[in-house]
Amino acid sequence: MESTKLKLYVGVDFVSAFAMSAFVALKEKQLPFDLATVDLKSRENYLRPYQDLSLTCKIPTLVHGSFALSESSAIAEYLDELSPGHKKLLPLDIKQRARARQLQAWLRSDLLVIRKERPADLIYFGKKDNPLSDEALAAVDRLFFVADRLLEGGAEHLFGDWSIADTDLAIMLNRLVANGDHVPARLAAYVHRQWDRDSVRAWMDIERVTPAIQ
């Protein structure tokens, strides 16, 4: 691996699910990195310096020397190839690896209504009182179906050993668990197992400022 140190750009509030995924990936790989923040509320990510860096104006963005990469799933794949001797972030088996990528893409492209009605902020700052809409409940049913199918037989992780897809799925499920919404006991236990990993604890231990009530 190149000796150039890695730098990860995340939102200044440290609540983005995608930033968390990239942070956990770096921690699991045991790669040293610097953490930098971007203020999304003031639209700092759309200013030219960051746009030139990230291309897409999104977080997280990983910087490695003169190379910068955004999108957490792309970052995980890059880290696996950059440092193949460390813990694998994606399954070794070709079919399981493809399934993990399928799950990651689905979590990012579908279920928007869950992300809207149960934003990741509530994991850190408290519950939402509003009940889930019918559309959100339908999305939750799809989420539970996929999670149940992939965790058949009481599996501890999705693909035998832990992968970054476990973190991504647990984040989505924890939007519901943390809010006190109904989640099957087996899936709630899965979330708690994932949340007990050192890499996830390191993210949760970051100090956050409680947002002012509007």
Side-chain angles (χ1 to χ4, degrees):
M1 188 183 81
E2 297 179 36
S3 60
T4 305
K5 195 168 185 180
L6 300 160
K7 179 182 283 190
L8 182 68
Y9 285 83
V10 302
V12 70
D13 54 4
F14 298 101
V15 299
S16 164
F18 306 122
M20 176 181 173
S21 180
F23 178 95
V24 167
L26 283 159
K27 286 291 188 179
E28 291 284 347
K29 295 293 273 187
Q30 298 183 12
L31 296 172
F33 66 98
D34 291 325
L35 201 57
T37 58
V38 180
D39 191 340
L40 305 182
K41 290 183 179 178
S42 67
R43 298 178 66 82
E44 185 181 357
N45 53 312
Y46 289 103
L47 298 180
R48 191 57 183 266
Y50 189 75
Q51 184 180 37
D52 286 342
L53 191 69
S54 74
L55 295 181
T56 59
C57 302
K58 296 174 70 175
I59 56 129
T61 291
L62 179 74
V63 178
H64 183 215
S66 60
F67 178 66
L69 181 68
S70 59
E71 300 295 338
S72 58
S73 56
I75 289 170
E77 290 196 42
Y78 179 72
L79 293 175
D80 256 355
E81 296 190 25
L82 180 69
S83 182
H86 288 71
K87 182 179 184 68
K88 297 296 183 184
L89 297 173
L90 291 165
L92 290 174
D93 178 79
I94 185 172
K95 292 179 180 178
Q96 290 185 336
R97 191 162 63 250
R99 185 71 75 201
R101 288 169 172 153
Q102 177 191 2
L103 176 62
Q104 287 180 304
W106 180 71
L107 290 169
R108 287 157 173 74
S109 62
D110 202 344
L111 311 179
L112 177 61
V113 65
I114 298 178
R115 298 202 300 271
K116 181 179 179 181
E117 296 187 22
R118 295 293 183 263
D121 305 45
L122 63 82
I123 294 173
Y124 312 97
F125 302 128
K127 299 180 180 181
K128 297 279 186 183
D129 293 329
N130 56 304
L132 291 166
S133 66
D134 289 344
E135 182 185 3
L137 288 171
V140 167
D141 284 343
R142 296 197 302 274
L143 174 62
F144 290 168
F145 172 81
V146 170
D148 275 327
R149 181 64 60 88
L150 293 178
L151 290 166
E152 281 183 335
E156 188 168 328
H157 302 299
L158 290 167
F159 306 108
D161 294 329
W162 175 90
S163 75
I164 194 63
D166 283 295
T167 297
D168 291 345
L169 177 59
I171 293 171
M172 182 61 75
L173 288 167
N174 205 17
R175 296 169 184 268
L176 304 167
V177 173
N179 195 63
D181 296 307
H182 169 70
V183 175
R186 189 167 72 91
L187 297 183
Y190 167 78
V191 170
H192 294 313
R193 279 198 305 275
Q194 300 307 321
W195 237 249
D196 204 36
R197 295 186 71 83
D198 289 343
S199 56
V200 174
R201 286 175 177 266
W203 173 260
M204 296 300 295
D205 286 344
I206 295 173
E207 186 175 353
R208 294 169 179 83
V209 176
T210 303
I213 298 174
Q214 300 297 317

